[in-house]
Amino acid sequence: MGLFDLPGKLSVDPRISSWLAELGTITDEPPGLTRTFLSPALERAKQLVAGWMHDAGLRVHEDQAGNLIGRLDCGNAAAGTLACGSHLDSVRNAGNFDGPMGVVAGILAAERVRASGAVLPCHLEIVAFADEEGVRFQTTYLGSRYYVDHLGEAERAFADAAGITVGAAIAAHVPNFPPPPARHLIGYVEAHIEQGPILEAEGLALGVVTAIAGQTRARILVAGKAGHAGTTPMGMRRDALTGAAECVLLVENMARRVDGLVATVGQLEMSTPASNVISGGVQFTIDIRHAENATRQRFSRELFAEIEKRLHARDLEVRIEIPLAAPAAKCAPKLCGQLAEIVERHQVRCPRLVSGAGHDAVALAEVTDVTMLFVRCRDGLSHHPDEFASAEDIALAVDVLAEFLTGFSSAAHG
Ligand code: HGY
Ligand code: MN
Ligand code: MN
């Protein structure tokens, strides 16, 4: 039985496609889509989203870290707050759906809840987080960690390429809304594209996430000695690039030997690139993921030790920085059960998935119960301009989210 054999016809709100397309044009680096922490494009995107939140009947705030919050008060100041949202920042040359899809779905679901007249025994906050991808500062969840008051001194000290620290960027950011009211979080739900092939392979639109893989992000700085490419004999070189190249292949070879582990060198910069100069300095990143923290930590230790050994054997200096070591996050079985039950009213079954991608739900899981709703995406492709999820699948996610937000509020106090 296919998705549409079930009773009732899905209505697809045209704003799903038009809003995501419009957000997809707001970029720091045209022609591709790039929106980073507190950048001019992120500010423009937030203005657009603030208008949509306001028109949906939400009270709009912005916090010092640039998270945009649309709130539905339940009338009882002492009540807890249920949060729902995703991130508005992107990777470089991104697709239109990773992050914004969850923000748009949250706004439309909240509008549906408000229009239904459902009595909410808890406050509802729809959040567009300001930094999940970590492109600017090479660390991640800055917005959601600020939102849950878990942004520590170490994170605030990280500097971007211009030497501006996270703390200075936040202090310089002037929110153009009054400060948000105090909140006591009692749950978090996030709709996000799957960024993988499983739902599409199973012919299903939606799935529920039971766990989110932990991730370690490292920055490897390699120092050798620049020299003349024409006059320096091969045996007398301290070539930083060939040393780094040996390590890039080492990452791939070692990762292939560990079940369920992925490791990626996504960035590599040379300090003074020139075709006739031996490389004196190289910096590259390593992104390591696994569902089990102990496996990821053990692999990281072994990899970094081998990298140091190989580079020292080449008479190169090496410094390894770890801007991020985010543990795996378990989603709350009770919330996942509630969400899956609603999904199964709309499709024949509800797959449970582990997310290899990181999400703001990891930061929220440090302070409250979380669950995630995955939406099928074409070819499982993400972090790519061709990323795509259908308006029909997103509309189904909005239906499920609206039911969850309403049902959760009664279940939270039931
Ligand atoms: O990299 C990730 O897993 C996420 O897209 N930030
Ligand atoms: Mn992403
Ligand atoms: Mn994302």
Side-chain angles (χ1 to χ4, degrees):
M1 187 162 61
L3 179 63
F4 292 107
D5 299 343
L6 296 173
K9 182 97 178 70
L10 185 68
S11 74
V12 182
D13 188 323
R15 290 176 293 177
I16 291 172
S17 300
S18 62
W19 286 4
L20 287 169
E22 192 172 358
L23 277 175
T25 64
I26 302 177
T27 178
D28 290 309
E29 297 171 4
L33 170 59
T34 302
R35 246 191 335 256
T36 59
F37 186 49
L38 298 182
S39 73
L42 191 75
E43 295 311 303
R44 294 199 307 275
K46 285 194 301 191
Q47 280 165 14
L48 196 59
V49 172
W52 297 338
M53 286 181 168
H54 178 269
D55 295 347
L58 306 180
R59 195 152 62 92
V60 190
H61 301 83
E62 182 178 354
D63 66 22
Q64 189 65 35
N67 297 310
L68 194 64
I69 302 152
R71 184 179 166 94
L72 267 187
D73 282 297
C74 70
N76 166 10
T81 298
L82 169 62
C84 167
S86 194
H87 58 95
L88 210 45
D89 69 305
S90 77
V91 292
R92 288 218 155 79
N93 198 26
N96 287 358
F97 298 81
D98 173 5
M101 193 278 301
V103 173
V104 165
I107 296 170
L108 293 176
E111 181 186 68
R112 181 98 48 91
V113 170
R114 185 176 164 275
S116 74
V119 175
L120 289 179
C122 66
H123 306 300
L124 179 57
E125 285 193 349
I126 305 300
V127 192
F129 291 110
D131 180 75
E132 188 278 334
E133 300 290 359
V135 168
R136 178 177 171 185
F137 287 99
Q138 289 302 310
T139 182
T140 186
Y141 313 141
L142 289 182
S144 40
R145 276 194 276 190
Y146 183 92
Y147 181 76
V148 298
D149 199 16
H150 275 197
L151 193 63
E153 286 316 310
E155 288 89 359
R156 290 170 187 263
F158 281 122
D160 64 8
I164 300 170
T165 64
V166 170
I170 288 176
H173 173 65
V174 183
N176 50 6
F177 291 97
R183 75 172 73 83
H184 161 53
L185 283 172
I186 55 175
Y188 175 71
V189 58
E190 178 169 356
H192 200 287
I193 54 169
E194 180 199 341
Q195 299 176 300
I198 297 171
L199 289 174
E200 185 174 58
E202 300 204 12
L204 293 168
L206 305 180
V208 165
V209 178
T210 55
I212 302 162
Q215 54 178 295
T216 295
R217 290 191 186 182
R219 201 173 15 224
I220 318 294
L221 296 94
V222 185
K225 188 164 171 31
H228 196 298
T231 59
T232 312
M234 294 309 287
M236 294 172 72
R237 296 180 177 207
R238 295 179 56 225
D239 186 331
L241 181 59
T242 51
E246 179 179 350
C247 295
V248 171
L249 291 176
L250 175 70
V251 170
E252 183 182 60
N253 295 335
M254 285 183 66
R256 281 185 165 157
R257 297 202 290 264
V258 181
D259 251 359
L261 183 132
V262 287
T264 312
V265 175
Q267 266 179 268
L268 185 146
E269 282 100 20
M270 297 171 70
S271 51
T272 50
S275 65
N276 58 351
V277 177
I278 300 163
S279 164
V282 168
Q283 171 174 309
F284 64 93
T285 61
I286 306 177
D287 176 314
I288 303 163
R289 313 275 177 108
H290 195 275
E292 294 304 325
N293 292 326
T295 306
R296 173 175 50 86
Q297 289 156 352
R298 186 173 55 252
F299 174 84
S300 304
R301 277 195 308 273
E302 290 166 2
L303 173 66
F304 297 152
E306 186 61 23
I307 283 175
E308 285 184 337
K309 193 172 131 212
R310 303 275 185 108
L311 293 177
H312 289 154
R314 287 171 168 264
D315 193 17
L316 296 171
E317 288 151 49
V318 53
R319 192 171 82 237
I320 298 177
E321 295 171 349
I322 314 280
L324 176 79
K330 298 279 185 230
C331 295
K334 180 172 163 241
L335 295 192
C336 292
Q338 285 174 19
L339 195 57
E341 206 178 298
I342 298 169
V343 171
E344 282 157 359
R345 296 204 285 265
H346 293 265
Q347 66 182 36
V348 286
R349 57 190 168 80
C350 179
R352 265 76 163 175
L353 306 166
V354 173
S355 173
H359 300 287
D360 287 305
V362 170
L364 276 283
E366 289 177 16
V367 299
T368 190
D369 283 351
V370 304
T371 187
M372 285 190 71
L373 182 65
F374 262 2
V375 177
R376 166 173 50 187
C377 60
R378 188 174 57 200
D379 302 333
L381 186 66
S382 184
H383 287 189
H384 187 284
D386 293 344
E387 179 184 277
F388 177 79
S390 73
E392 290 74 15
D393 286 355
I394 300 170
L396 192 62
V398 172
D399 288 357
V400 168
L401 215 44
E403 288 175 45
F404 178 85
L405 298 180
T406 313
F408 172 93
S409 48
S410 52
H413 298 268

